[in-house]
């Protein structure tokens, strides 16, 4: 159920070129008109290099002027013209064109696909060695050869950052693009910035780290680079130890992300002491850095960001209301502060993703697909499950389970320093970072970029909290829920109150996504709390209402899962009856397809758990007297048809779970029919 894995793909803000003067007077304060834009595009092909550079610099600004202007620019062939300028004989034209390409893709990520289709990779293969050569000269402090050399060195860091950012954007657009980028020898280029992090501008090192994080995420083709260059891994570990300055915290977190992505290589190349588990030892190294990076006060940041805007010293774009996205560098301390807030929130988000992954690293990444081919015969070849053959089929299933199960040593788990850090240090931080701020869901836009970053931070904190709770709930002893019952009960009420607060805000996709994550946390928490769930009368009604209000399959699965532990409480027969009747209604809607297979499977699994023992005080008044058994027997053909309708090749996991649910339904019906009451 509901564990969250995420890749580390994040976007930085657009930046502009170093020189942008020359737009028609008055264009800064209003949306440019077509008659103003078209001459700019035409000058990209001017025989005068100064005009070409000026045009590229203007386009860096124009892409920020709103969707209508960007649409015009794209329709007039601006992208191929800018790509041509990457091979311009004049360095300034090349530099300004790269800045324009970066700004364009930063506000319209889809344009990265056009970059790739128009063969930006070939242009980059030519540019990369030239950029590397200039950077080497700067780092070596080599004597200047001429004025052109001086100009190249003076602006090389801006060019390098824009180059990296565009590569990063192309990589994020499609996995198949990553394969082409791999052939650029890009890893050595990016690693060079991290290796010289104390000599390069921090913003360029961060760009390289972000790009490398994306490139190493589930990209085994890249792993060989690190296997062949163990010094890369050593350098990443050195970054964790070397840079203690707060300004370098994102660089350290990015190093953690890269090491986590190439974990297989790290575990194979590093030397661990006898008896040590390499993965655990790596986590012990990463955890203190990630934990320390959470120490950012988002409540104070939100309040100060609001004050910054109210001061009148923060410029806004007329079209979007957003903070003017630099070409001009920030001109006030308030703008600098808001930019810093965005950077800190970006650091938080990445650290939270990595912490969430640490919670689930004991699970195999395999989904069974590789071993599934031999089991993908036609459904007609499979024996139909009936009450006559169910015992034999279940016996085969149990034998398989026995081979794959592992005993859990409770004492070893309790003494695990990683778990200890999550319990004492990290979980309180997660609750703090998930708590809404005055800027999280404002009634009117104030600082949209900060609001978006705050909501994403809340989401990442709750996803990490969910994985943490679920890891604890899956321990056989569930010791944390017993020994920290008060904390667990407070978390339940806090989550429900948070869901109600978020639900009261204006409808949006971000709101709905956040509520779904909260329900996932409640599901995990309910599994651990069991009989101790501090239920209020309105909780069940709220969950029913949320189920009917959403069309999201994943949200409905989580709601059903959350209701399961609530229904299992003793001395709450009426609550069980409400939920039981709800479950039966959900299953009846399978025929009309109002209930999807994933929701049906989760509902069946809940029923199997909730009514597994006739000794439960609600079994007789609800299951027996409610005639649930007959209803479930009638449902068997419907569930069988539903299961056979799931394409095993397209949805292997869902088909497997549905097959299992069907088998368990037949077995459950037989068991309940013969169950003896004491």
């Amino acid at each position: 159920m509901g564990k969250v894995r995420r890749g580390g793909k994040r976007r930085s803000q657009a930046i502009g070129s170093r020189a942008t003067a020359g737009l028609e007077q008055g264009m800064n304060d209003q949306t440019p008109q077509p008659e103003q834009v078209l001459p700019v595009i035409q000058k990209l092909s001017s025989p005068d290099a100064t005009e070409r550079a000026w045009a590229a610099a203007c386009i860096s600004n124009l892409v920020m002027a709103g969707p209508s202007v960007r649409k015009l620019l794209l329709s007039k062939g601006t992208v191929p013209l800018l790509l041509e300028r990457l091979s311009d004989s004049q360095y300034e034209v090349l530099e300004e064109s790269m800045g324009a390409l970066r700004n364009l893709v930063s506000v319209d990520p889809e344009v990265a696909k056009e970059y790739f289709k128009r063969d930006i990779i070939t242009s980059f293969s030519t540019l990369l060695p030239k950029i590397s050569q200039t950077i080497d000269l700067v780092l070596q402090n080599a004597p200047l050869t001429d004025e052109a050399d001086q100009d190249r060195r003076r602006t090389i860091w801006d060019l390098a950052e824009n180059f990296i950012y565009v590569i990063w954007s192309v990589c994020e657009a499609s996995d198949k693009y990553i394969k082409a980028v791999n052939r650029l020898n890009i890893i050595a280029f990016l690693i060079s910035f991290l290796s010289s992090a104390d000599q390069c501008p921090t913003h360029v090192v961060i760009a390289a780290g972000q790009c490398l994080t994306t490139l190493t995420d589930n990209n085994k083709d890249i792993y060989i680079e690190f296997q062949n260059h163990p010094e890369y891994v050593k350098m990443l570990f050195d970054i964790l130890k070397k840079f203690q300055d707060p300004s370098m915290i994102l660089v350290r977190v990015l190093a953690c992300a890269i090491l986590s992505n190439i974990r297989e290589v790290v575990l194979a190349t590093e030397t661990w002491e006898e008896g040590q588990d390499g993965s655990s030892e790596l986590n012990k190294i990463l955890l203190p850095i990630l934990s320390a990076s959470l120490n950012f006060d988002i409540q104070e940041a939100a309040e100060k960001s609001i004050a910054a805007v109210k001061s009148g010293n923060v410029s806004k774009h007329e079209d979007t209301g957003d903070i003017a996205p630099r070409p001009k560098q920030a001109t006030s301390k308030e703008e600098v502060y808001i930019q810093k807030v965005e950077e800190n929130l970006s650091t938080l988000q990445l650290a939270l993703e990595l912490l969430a992954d640490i919670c689930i690293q004991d699970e195999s990444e395999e989904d069974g697909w590789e071993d599934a081919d031999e089991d993908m015969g036609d459904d007609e070849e499979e024996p139909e499950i009936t009450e006559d053959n169910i015992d034999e089929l279940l016996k085969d299933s149990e034998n398989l389970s026995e081979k794959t199960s592992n005993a859990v040593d409770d004492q070893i788990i309790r003494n695990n320093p990683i778990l200890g850090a999550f319990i004492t240090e990290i979980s309180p931080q997660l609750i703090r970072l998930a708590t809404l701020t005055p800027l999280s869901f404002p009634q009117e836009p104030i600082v949209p970029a900060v609001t978006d970053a705050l909501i994403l931070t809340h989401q990442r904190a709750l996803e990490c909290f969910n994985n943490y709770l679920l890891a604890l709930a899956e321990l056989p002893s569930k010791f944390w829920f017993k020994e920290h019952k008060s904390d667990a009960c407070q978390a339940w009420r806090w989550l429900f109150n948070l869901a109600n607060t978020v639900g009261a805000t204006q409808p949006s996709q971000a709101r709905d996504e956040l509520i779904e994550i909260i329900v996932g946390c409640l599901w995990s928490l309910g599994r651990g709390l069991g009989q101790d769930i501090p239920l209020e009368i309105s909780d069940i009604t709220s969950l029913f209402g949320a189920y009917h209000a959403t069309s999201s399959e994943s949200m409905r699965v989580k709601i059903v899962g959350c209701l399961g532990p609530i229904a299992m409480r003793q001395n709450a027969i009426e609550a069980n009856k409400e939920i039981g009747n709800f479950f039966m209604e959900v299953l009846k809607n399978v025929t009309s397809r109002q209930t999807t297979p994933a929701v049906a499977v989760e509902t069946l699994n809940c029923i199997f758990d909730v009514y597994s023992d006739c000794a439960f005080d609600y079994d007789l008044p609800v299951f027996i007297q409610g005639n649930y058994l007959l209803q479930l027997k009638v449902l068997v053909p419907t569930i069988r048809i539903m299961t056979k309708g799931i394409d095993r090749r397209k949805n292997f996991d869902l088909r497997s779970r549905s097959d299992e649910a069907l088998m368990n339904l037949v077995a459950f019906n037989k068991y309940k029919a013969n169950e003896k009451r004491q």
Side-chain angles (χ1 to χ4, degrees):
M1 63 162 283
K3 286 189 175 178
V4 181
R5 282 188 175 91
R6 289 196 177 273
K9 297 182 179 180
R10 281 150 297 280
R11 294 201 167 274
S12 66
Q13 289 184 324
I15 68 167
S17 56
R18 60 186 176 82
T20 58
L23 283 176
E24 295 293 336
Q25 187 174 6
M27 284 178 67
N28 292 329
D29 300 319
Q30 57 187 344
T31 301
Q33 299 303 307
E35 59 269 21
Q36 296 172 295
V37 174
L38 294 177
V40 174
I41 299 173
Q42 292 167 358
K43 286 183 183 294
L44 279 174
S45 303
S46 170
D48 186 337
T50 302
E51 288 191 345
R52 296 198 301 274
W54 174 86
C58 289
I59 289 171
S60 286
N61 279 347
L62 288 169
V63 298
M64 306 300 177
S68 61
V69 177
R70 287 195 293 276
K71 185 177 180 180
L72 177 62
L73 287 168
L74 293 173
S75 69
K76 297 302 179 181
T78 302
V79 168
L81 288 172
L82 287 171
L83 292 176
E84 286 178 18
R85 299 281 68 81
L86 293 182
S87 57
D88 200 284
S89 58
Q90 294 299 312
Y91 179 78
E92 185 181 10
V93 179
L94 183 162
E95 180 197 4
E96 297 292 2
S97 299
M98 185 66 74
L101 288 166
R102 182 216 171 126
N103 275 4
L104 182 55
V105 78
S106 72
V107 293
D108 184 5
E110 285 296 308
V111 82
K113 295 178 181 178
E114 184 175 355
Y115 289 179
F116 185 82
K117 290 174 183 176
R118 293 187 178 277
D119 199 21
I120 196 173
I121 299 300
T122 297
S123 298
F124 277 7
S125 66
T126 303
L127 275 175
L128 191 149
K130 295 179 180 178
I131 293 173
S132 295
Q133 182 182 26
T134 302
I135 289 175
D136 287 342
L137 293 173
V138 172
L139 295 180
Q140 295 165 12
N141 199 24
L144 292 169
T145 57
D146 53 30
E147 188 174 339
D149 183 23
Q150 184 178 21
D151 287 342
R152 284 193 297 272
R153 296 193 199 188
R154 179 170 53 83
T155 58
I156 188 58
W157 300 119
D158 286 341
L159 178 63
E161 184 186 10
N162 289 339
F163 177 87
I164 292 168
Y165 186 88
V166 176
I167 286 180
W168 182 28
S169 300
V170 169
C171 290
E172 289 190 327
S174 170
D175 287 343
K176 69 179 182 181
Y177 299 169
I178 291 179
K179 294 184 181 297
V181 172
N182 287 350
R183 296 192 287 270
L184 285 176
N185 193 29
I186 193 69
I187 298 301
F189 175 73
L190 297 172
I191 284 288
S192 68
F193 293 96
L194 294 166
S195 300
S196 306
D198 52 350
Q199 298 174 270
C200 301
T202 302
H203 63 92
V204 186
V205 177
I206 288 171
Q210 289 171 323
C211 187
L212 200 51
T213 299
T214 294
L215 277 168
T216 55
D217 185 22
N218 293 320
N219 183 4
K220 294 192 176 183
D221 292 340
I222 287 291
Y223 293 175
I224 193 169
E225 290 283 339
F226 290 89
Q227 290 170 340
N228 293 338
H229 296 277
E231 69 273 16
Y232 292 174
V233 175
K234 181 180 183 302
M235 177 274 299
L236 291 167
F237 278 120
D238 287 343
I239 284 177
L240 303 185
K241 302 171 187 175
K242 185 175 179 182
F243 299 107
Q244 302 296 324
D245 188 273
S247 66
M248 298 293 284
I249 189 166
L250 180 52
V251 175
R252 298 176 79 207
V253 172
L254 286 165
C256 290
I258 299 163
L259 286 167
S260 183
N261 286 348
I262 61 167
R263 178 176 293 264
E264 290 180 23
V265 179
V266 175
L267 299 184
T269 57
E270 290 296 301
T271 303
W272 310 101
E273 293 184 11
E274 186 176 350
Q276 286 184 331
D277 175 63
S279 187
S280 295
E281 293 305 308
L282 177 58
N283 286 340
K284 289 177 188 177
I285 294 170
L286 304 183
L287 200 66
I289 295 162
L290 299 176
S291 179
S293 70
L294 303 183
N295 294 322
F296 179 65
D297 190 337
I298 62 172
Q299 300 295 334
E300 179 183 62
E303 291 167 1
K304 287 188 174 181
S305 294
I306 293 172
V309 171
K310 289 182 177 179
S311 73
N313 295 325
V314 176
S315 59
K316 291 187 177 182
H317 193 283
E318 294 295 328
D319 185 50
T320 64
D322 209 340
I323 304 303
R326 307 191 298 274
K328 294 180 293 185
Q329 294 300 313
T331 55
S332 69
K333 64 179 182 180
E334 288 83 4
E335 288 176 328
V336 171
Y337 178 78
I338 286 176
Q339 291 166 16
K340 190 65 178 174
V341 167
E342 292 179 51
E343 291 167 5
N344 284 327
L345 292 174
S346 177
T347 303
L348 279 178
Q349 292 154 16
L350 177 55
L352 289 166
E353 288 181 25
L354 296 173
L355 288 168
D357 287 345
I358 286 176
C359 290
I360 57 176
Q361 275 165 359
D362 59 323
E363 291 195 341
S364 171
E365 295 285 346
E366 304 293 337
D367 61 2
W369 179 263
E370 292 79 359
D371 303 320
D373 289 345
E374 62 189 53
D375 299 323
M376 287 189 176
D378 295 334
D379 289 328
E380 287 73 13
E381 298 176 4
E382 299 175 359
E384 184 168 293
I385 301 169
T386 66
E387 291 190 6
D388 294 330
N389 65 10
I390 187 62
D391 292 335
E392 183 178 349
L393 292 172
L394 281 176
K395 185 176 180 180
D396 292 340
S397 178
E398 287 169 2
N399 289 338
L400 179 62
S401 297
E402 286 175 6
K403 294 177 183 178
T404 58
S405 63
N406 293 308
V408 178
D409 189 319
D410 187 61
Q411 195 57 45
I412 291 176
I413 294 293
R414 285 171 177 268
N415 294 334
N416 186 300
I418 303 296
L419 180 59
F422 267 91
I423 291 173
T424 60
E425 300 170 24
I426 296 172
S427 60
Q429 297 273 52
L430 299 178
I431 292 173
R432 179 181 63 80
L433 294 171
T435 301
L436 302 187
T437 74
L439 262 183
S440 298
F441 289 95
Q443 290 188 346
E444 298 292 336
I446 302 174
V447 195
V450 174
T451 290
D452 291 345
L454 282 168
I455 293 173
L456 188 57
T457 301
H458 299 325
Q459 290 179 353
R460 296 293 180 263
L462 285 165
E463 287 167 350
C464 186
F465 193 48
N466 172 72
N467 287 3
Y468 161 70
L469 291 171
L470 191 52
L472 291 171
E474 289 181 343
L475 296 176
S477 68
K478 294 181 171 55
F479 73 89
W480 182 82
F481 298 95
K482 298 172 184 175
E483 297 171 12
H484 299 268
K485 178 180 172 181
S486 176
D487 292 340
C489 289
Q490 285 181 19
W492 177 275
R493 291 265 46 95
W494 171 75
L495 285 165
F496 249 106
N497 292 337
L498 180 61
N500 290 332
T501 302
V502 174
T505 63
Q506 296 176 3
S508 68
Q509 182 179 346
R511 182 199 70 167
D512 295 343
E513 289 174 351
L514 194 58
I515 292 175
E516 180 173 341
I517 299 168
I518 294 169
V519 174
C521 290
L522 285 166
W523 183 7
S524 302
L525 189 55
R527 288 185 58 185
L529 276 169
Q531 298 297 314
D532 295 320
I533 293 174
L535 198 72
E536 290 187 358
I537 297 175
S538 62
D539 291 354
I540 296 175
T541 305
S542 295
L543 289 168
F544 287 168
Y547 181 93
H548 292 299
T550 185
S551 59
S552 165
E553 179 183 70
S554 57
M555 175 65 158
R556 287 186 164 186
V557 168
K558 290 181 177 70
I559 291 170
V560 168
C562 187
L563 287 166
I566 294 174
M568 292 190 72
R569 296 175 314 129
Q570 299 295 286
N571 302 314
I573 293 174
E574 281 305 310
N576 178 278
K577 185 176 181 179
E578 281 187 76
I579 296 171
N581 289 340
F582 172 80
F583 284 164
M584 300 310 296
E585 191 65 31
V586 167
L587 292 175
K588 287 177 183 175
N589 287 329
V590 170
T591 304
S592 64
R593 297 191 177 182
Q594 293 179 56
T595 297
T596 62
V599 177
V601 167
E602 186 56 42
T603 306
L604 285 169
N605 289 337
C606 284
I607 288 173
F608 302 152
D609 289 339
V610 173
Y611 300 105
S612 61
D613 194 331
C614 64
F616 294 150
D617 64 358
Y618 50 71
D619 195 80
L620 176 61
V622 179
F623 189 88
I624 301 299
Q625 295 179 3
N627 212 16
Y628 283 10
L629 180 57
L630 178 60
Q631 295 180 60
L632 290 172
K633 285 188 174 183
V634 170
L635 277 168
V636 171
T638 301
I639 300 302
R640 182 176 288 117
I641 292 170
M642 178 196 80
T643 299
K644 288 189 174 183
I646 302 171
D647 190 323
R648 195 190 303 274
R649 293 186 182 274
K650 294 180 180 178
N651 296 290
F652 178 75
D653 180 64
L654 178 60
R655 176 59 190 265
S656 297
R657 288 187 289 114
S658 191
D659 282 334
E660 183 181 27
L662 175 60
M663 182 185 296
N664 287 338
L665 175 59
V666 174
F668 180 80
N669 289 343
K670 182 177 181 180
Y671 161 73
K672 292 300 285 187
N674 299 316
E675 190 176 25
K676 302 294 184 182
R677 295 186 176 277
Q678 300 298 326

